[in-house]
Amino acid sequence: MVLSPRSLSYSRYALESLFRNSAEPLHLHLVTDSPSDKALLEEELTLRQQTCGHAWSIYDETELKDAEAAIFGRFPHLRQFRRGHPCWRKITDPLLLSSPGEEMVLLDPDLYFPNHFRFEPTPEHGLLLMWQKPNCLFPPETVRAAMTAGIPLAHHVDIGVAHWRATADLEWLDWLVEKLNFSRFPQIMHIEAIVWSALAIHIGGGYLDPRRWHCWYRSQYSRLLSRFGVNGVRSLRNEPFTSIKCFHAGGRAKSWLADAKAAGILDGNSSLTEPGSILPFVELTPRAYRRQQNIKHLLARLGYYAVFQSI
């Protein structure tokens, strides 16, 4: 997990639920920015988290420089990518902390695990990602650059959880970063999703079952609730916490976790330790993407987003 202590207002609930509800012992590797950030995270895990039965390690960015030089030394574009937005290190840094072929389960800090659960088995080959409606591929110019370059992308990709093994084709990843020329585009977290989306089609795999691995998104229903004054915590009461392994509190939803926890609506008492179904990746075609963008532009011109502001 790439984690800044500035995210602890919500990520401490993610960590607490992960440690409490995992049915198997974990070794959680936290990657952060600076030695001072590392000290704050050590304080959090030592004094405020119940980690019994689990192991954890924390690395600041500087502690991985030698590993970066050794593993990414021949790949200048990948090294440049690693120095971009901190979220992009969710792709690169686990490779610096893992032995070849080792299982890696990568987590965002805005996940909540409401029930006793077990992670899905990580495949020997391929990638597992969460499913999202519709997708989080952004910005449009980067998506179009990928499609113009003939790089196929997976549709409905959510980046809250990712499973794969430390057998990455580094030459291909370096080529991808060069081809998309990320330095031309904004240093925003969403670009990470485009890399995962390209990687998904390149190496195969599938989506984690959305009935068990659930992603919040700004649906028409949530926009209506907001329009009529329903706060975020009340809207979370409609989420299926009793039947899911993991809830990705994406966007504004992460800011509601503390109050939702206090209100007692996040936790279930189910035992969800059996593997879920894996759904095949679906490619986002240029035609489908153009249609989606045209609909968004039409809604914007009609004033939809001004009336139904996202929550």
Side-chain angles (χ1 to χ4, degrees), residues 86-106:
C87 287
W88 303 355
R89 300 210 306 269
K90 183 180 166 189
I91 295 170
T92 58
D93 286 17
L95 296 168
L96 306 180
L97 293 168
S98 304
S99 302
E102 188 174 7
E103 177 186 38
M104 302 182 297
V105 180
L106 317 180

Side-chain angles (χ1 to χ4, degrees), residues 177-198:
V177 171
E178 179 188 20
K179 198 73 173 176
L180 294 179
N181 196 2
F182 287 110
S183 61
R184 290 174 45 211
F185 301 121
Q187 300 283 300
I188 57 175
M189 60 183 178
H190 299 83
I191 284 178
E192 175 201 346
I194 297 174
V195 177
W196 285 120
S197 183

Side-chain angles (χ1 to χ4, degrees), residues 261-272:
K261 178 72 173 178
I265 66 174
L266 293 183
D267 294 309
N269 56 10
S270 303
S271 181
L272 304 173

